[in-house]
Amino acid sequence: MAARIHGFQIDPINVLVRTQYMPAFSRLGPYPSVALDQLAYQRHELFEYAGHAACLLPTALYPLFRWRMEAHAHGKYRLARTPAPFVAAVLAEVEARGPIAASELTDRGRRGKYGSAWSWNDGKRVMGGLLLAGQVAVAGRRGIEQLYDLTERVIPPAVLAAPVPDPDDAKRELIVLAARAMGVSTAKDLAAYFHIGAHLDRGADPKVTRVPALFADLVDDGRLVPATVEGWRDQAYVVPGVRVPKVVDARALVSPFDSLIWERDRVRRVFGFDYRIEIYIPEPKRVHGYYVLPFLLGDTLAARVDLKADRKTATLVVQSAFSERENTSKEVAGALAAALAEMASWLGLERTEVRERGDLAATLRRALRGRRH
């Protein structure tokens, strides 16, 4: 599955379950989440890097991100804003003591504001910069805390020795991988999958990627095929030989950070579903809730639920439930009840409680009650 979707986004919020564990549950059903950690930190078949934001990515793709690492190593980013002796001291301590957390550095430097949200000390910021530059890698985690080590002690030697593609060749390959993962999409959709030409590219590299030229090359080479989608204003693309299934038989709760919904405009065009993560919105202004998961049923995002795992009471709490379909709430509620029961079992929770908020809440509560009898 990792080889098909290429990225499990990582986020520290744990109101339900760490988000990197959700994509496999959504697609495969209940599975031992430790398997993902084993792939990443024991077998090193996945590695942590900035693919689409912070992600676990297949280690086979490591050479395709060397251009980004090189750009960060020489660009005006985190490392350049810190005195060189401090950066060298952090790297030397990683070499001597790794795997090591940023909190374990002998000198963590001063604390300051990073970006608009995170208050990081210099040591944490430099560790993040060294990671982006490819000079360290994440060898494991202690809870949510990353443990850093030298790259050559984490990434398999054969991967590090693989030929490094020309940056434009690597970007074209990443775009094709995005097309295989997403299906029919616009150039903007596909470029956004790995942030080609976006802030992860532009912020480190003074030469903004010429995204239109990359797509023209891929079409000329026959690696992408232009397509037309009714109602879409922009040109769409597919990979050669793409097949449209006659039926889509799916039932899945989808993480707010799942690759299916990374590109919100595409979600709107494909599913007619307006989605916004409301975590950072003040509570009185939230429309649907804090940690809202879309519910995929067939080929439709049919509902959304605000979920919380109350581990003290072993309860999966449905804080709100909203339907996206008219006159089909009973069908949606039945399928959603089954998905919630499956999730509760996977998380080791003993019961599910549906609160009052949302037009689907009452019907969902009856559907869950029916499953218990």
Side-chain angles (χ1 to χ4, degrees):
M1 193 194 71
R4 292 191 64 173
I5 67 172
H6 317 303
F8 306 100
Q9 189 172 341
I10 300 169
D11 190 87
I13 295 170
N14 194 26
V15 67
L16 180 67
V17 62
R18 299 280 180 216
T19 192
Q20 64 265 34
Y21 299 113
M22 269 295 296
F25 172 76
S26 299
R27 291 159 178 80
L28 306 175
Y31 76 102
S33 55
V34 68
L36 190 68
D37 295 329
Q38 291 171 344
L39 279 175
Y41 309 120
Q42 294 179 25
R43 295 170 57 168
H44 300 295
E45 293 182 36
L46 302 174
F47 75 107
E48 289 194 27
Y49 194 64
H52 181 97
C55 281
L56 282 170
L57 305 161
T59 307
L61 302 188
Y62 191 91
L64 297 180
F65 289 96
R66 295 290 285 266
W67 62 272
R68 182 169 285 166
M69 296 172 189
E70 200 66 21
H72 280 291
H74 298 102
K76 295 179 180 179
Y77 202 50
R78 299 185 198 180
L79 296 180
R81 297 204 301 260
T82 308
F86 186 86
V87 175
V90 169
L91 191 56
E93 193 160 0
V94 172
E95 182 177 12
R97 298 178 57 201
I100 182 175
S103 63
E104 296 173 319
L105 289 169
T106 303
D107 180 6
R108 288 182 281 170
R110 297 174 300 175
R111 181 172 291 277
K113 203 75 169 177
Y114 167 68
S116 60
W118 307 107
S119 180
W120 287 353
N121 57 48
D122 290 338
K124 173 63 176 174
R125 184 165 51 82
V126 167
M127 282 289 209
L130 290 170
L131 178 64
L132 286 172
Q135 296 178 46
V136 302
V138 178
R141 281 182 174 256
R142 186 186 299 126
I144 66 169
E145 195 171 31
Q146 294 164 303
L147 302 177
Y148 300 91
D149 207 342
L150 296 181
T151 299
E152 56 266 31
R153 297 203 291 237
V154 177
I155 304 299
V159 174
L160 292 178
V164 178
D166 170 83
D168 280 352
D169 288 341
K171 293 169 189 176
R172 281 188 284 265
E173 181 63 26
L174 289 170
I175 288 169
V176 172
L177 291 174
R180 293 189 182 281
M182 295 181 79
V184 62
S185 302
T186 66
K188 181 176 178 288
D189 300 334
L190 296 173
Y193 202 84
F194 290 113
H195 283 319
I196 305 297
H199 68 279
L200 289 180
D201 187 353
R202 204 166 51 234
D205 187 350
K207 296 179 180 178
V208 177
T209 300
R210 299 174 300 111
V211 171
L214 297 178
F215 279 85
D217 293 342
L218 289 168
V219 171
D220 288 345
D221 293 343
R223 300 177 68 191
L224 285 183
V225 179
T228 300
V229 179
E230 185 178 347
W232 288 20
R233 180 184 60 204
D234 296 329
Q235 176 70 66
Y237 299 90
V238 294
V239 294
V242 69
R243 292 183 178 181
V244 180
K246 292 180 179 179
V247 178
V248 177
D249 183 16
R251 189 197 72 193
L253 287 158
V254 180
S255 159
F257 302 96
D258 193 288
S259 59
L260 179 73
I261 56 173
W262 276 344
E263 188 61 16
R264 301 289 188 259
D265 183 58
R266 180 178 185 271
V267 174
R268 194 177 300 112
R269 281 182 277 113
V270 172
F271 296 104
F273 189 89
D274 242 333
Y275 184 67
R276 184 182 186 190
I277 294 179
E278 299 184 80
I279 293 167
Y280 306 109
I281 297 173
E283 185 173 358
K285 295 184 179 180
R286 291 179 194 143
V287 176
H288 297 103
Y290 179 77
Y291 199 77
V292 176
L293 283 73
F295 177 57
L296 178 68
L297 184 61
D299 60 0
T300 303
L301 290 175
R304 60 185 93 202
V305 283
D306 180 15
L307 299 183
K308 175 183 177 180
D310 186 336
R311 293 171 178 87
K312 289 184 179 179
T313 62
T315 303
L316 178 61
V317 181
V318 183
Q319 303 194 102
S320 71
F322 293 87
S323 176
E324 295 293 314
R325 292 182 179 179
E326 294 181 3
N327 304 319
T328 57
S329 59
K330 189 172 182 181
E331 173 200 347
V332 172
L336 179 54
L340 289 168
E342 192 173 60
M343 170 171 275
S345 175
W346 177 56
L347 296 178
L349 303 173
E350 297 172 4
R351 55 190 161 274
T352 301
E353 173 191 332
V354 182
R355 295 187 176 165
E356 300 295 329
R357 190 176 177 207
D359 65 332
L360 191 59
T363 312
L364 178 60
R365 193 180 303 111
R366 287 193 294 272
L368 279 164
R369 195 180 300 126
R371 288 184 60 83
R372 290 193 285 268
H373 295 294

